Amino acid sequence: MIRVLIADDQPLVRRGLALILAPHPDVEVVGEAGNGAEAVELAGRLDPDVVVMDIRMPVLDGVQATAELARTSPRARVLALSTFDMDEYVVAALRAGAHGFLPKDISPEELIAAVHTVHTGEAAVAPRLLTRLISTYVRASPREPRPAPRAPSAGLTPRELEIWRLLAGGLDNAEIAAELDISVSTVKNHITGIFNKLGVRDRAQAVIAAYESGLVEADRRST
């Protein structure tokens, strides 16, 4: 059973999300919060597996609430929601520890699939959507200082660097395998090693690291 907490400042949205999730036999909606502070408080009491978190909320916004949950309720996996696909706060939420991002106009099937995905520890962000999102964010902040490239100090092999670049370019595991003429299982093993060396948790954070390190340039966007 996947225990889900819903956090959104609009009661109608909360009810709609709950009605979508409730009929599924392996999902239980354990609570609803009207702001980020309430979400953090309820997560501490209800111990949810997944928190469906609106980004923009009063009192404590979704980014701040996600960061607080990473500290106080690390077992809870945050699935961030936003009205806009291209929203700099989504990148901030991923940095803060969110396991995924979805726009609010997704289908009920996509929401259910994303809840299951983040529950397993994977990132519920479409690779190309994530690439466009981060590229837009980087373009919007050209004066923000960037850390020096982390790949050499992280000790990545040439093959790992190649796979990291393809991952950041929006390719999924099967596409990377086809591009490099290797098996999907080999790609998965390399990605696990990349995550460990970079100190990132999932694909979302790996793509952010690729942009911040300079491995991928903001104007070289996948189509």
Side-chain angles (χ1 to χ4, degrees):
M1 182 66 69
I2 304 173
R3 296 166 54 82
V4 177
L5 172 66
I6 298 170
D8 195 292
D9 61 328
Q10 299 182 42
L12 190 61
V13 173
R14 293 199 305 271
R15 280 285 78 208
L17 293 171
L19 289 172
I20 290 170
L21 296 170
H24 292 264
D26 61 342
V27 175
E28 178 186 7
V29 177
V30 296
E32 298 179 20
N35 59 64
E38 188 178 357
V40 172
E41 190 273 328
L42 285 177
R45 288 198 289 111
L46 301 175
D47 191 28
D49 300 301
V50 175
V51 180
V52 178
M53 179 85 73
D54 185 24
I55 290 293
R56 294 175 175 176
M57 291 187 293
V59 185
L60 195 68
D61 67 26
V63 174
Q64 295 170 306
T66 296
E68 185 65 15
L69 285 174
R71 186 181 69 82
T72 61
S73 301
R75 201 181 72 80
R77 304 186 187 279
V78 174
L79 176 60
L81 298 181
S82 175
T83 305
F84 305 100
D85 285 358
M86 304 305 168
D87 188 336
E88 66 272 18
Y89 292 109
V90 176
V91 177
L94 294 172
R95 284 200 183 109
H99 279 70
F101 158 71
L102 293 174
K104 282 189 174 180
D105 61 356
I106 56 165
S107 69
E109 293 76 18
E110 288 171 316
L111 175 63
I112 291 295
V115 167
H116 283 90
T117 297
V118 299
H119 181 245
T120 67
E122 295 294 323
V125 185
R128 286 177 178 81
L129 175 59
L130 179 62
T131 301
R132 293 197 305 270
L133 173 68
I134 295 172
S135 181
T136 300
Y137 174 76
V138 173
R139 281 176 176 274
S141 307
R143 298 177 185 173
E144 182 179 339
R146 297 279 179 255
R150 293 159 53 181
S153 62
L156 267 64
T157 66
R159 176 48 61 92
E160 288 172 336
L161 278 171
E162 190 174 19
I163 290 175
W164 186 24
R165 185 177 291 107
L166 293 172
L167 182 156
L171 276 65
D172 62 26
N173 289 357
E175 291 169 331
I176 294 172
E179 178 76 17
L180 300 179
D181 196 24
I182 57 179
S183 69
V184 173
S185 61
T186 298
V187 173
K188 289 180 179 178
N189 290 336
H190 279 304
I191 289 176
T192 298
I194 291 166
F195 288 179
N196 289 336
K197 291 180 180 181
L198 294 177
V200 301
R201 186 194 59 234
D202 53 32
R203 290 179 96 91
Q205 293 189 347
V207 174
I208 291 172
Y211 276 98
E212 291 188 327
S213 72
L215 180 75
V216 177
E217 296 295 332
D219 60 352
R220 293 172 59 186
R221 295 163 64 174
S222 296
T223 56

